[in-house]
Amino acid sequence: MATVKIAYAKAHLAELMARVAQGERIIISRYGTPMAELLPAPKAERGQPKFGTGKGKAMLINPRALDPMTDDEAEAFLRGRY
């Protein structure tokens, strides 16, 4: 664990953040008194989505979108006109 003065921390924040990202803990002090501590943030865990949590969040724009095609529509689709 390193200790740096506040003036150094202000001037070299990007460098200190890179060191913290690698797992180092850094104490920032003012007049020899510890004022703050930089430490890596805890890793956020992503849980598995639960089955059924999307219920009611989707809707069909066209209610006929899932209806079967008529013979005329199927013929037009196969000929590239649909």
Side-chain angles (χ1 to χ4, degrees):
M1 187 165 20
T3 301
V4 297
K5 294 181 180 180
I6 194 164
Y8 182 87
K10 286 171 66 174
H12 299 93
L13 182 61
E15 172 199 331
L16 294 175
M17 295 301 289
R19 288 169 53 184
V20 168
Q22 293 177 355
E24 187 175 350
R25 297 173 79 161
I26 298 173
I27 303 273
I28 300 174
S29 65
R30 174 184 271 170
Y31 303 116
T33 304
M35 300 299 290
E37 181 177 6
L38 296 176
L39 54 124
K43 301 282 186 210
E45 292 185 26
R46 298 185 95 200
Q48 290 287 350
K50 294 183 180 177
F51 182 74
T53 56
K55 185 175 183 180
K57 294 183 180 177
M59 64 179 197
L60 286 175
I61 302 292
N62 181 358
R64 281 197 57 227
L66 300 178
D67 289 348
M69 288 183 171
T70 64
D71 290 338
D72 293 336
E73 291 172 334
E75 185 67 30
F77 178 78
L78 292 174
R79 295 192 185 274
R81 293 181 286 146
Y82 194 77

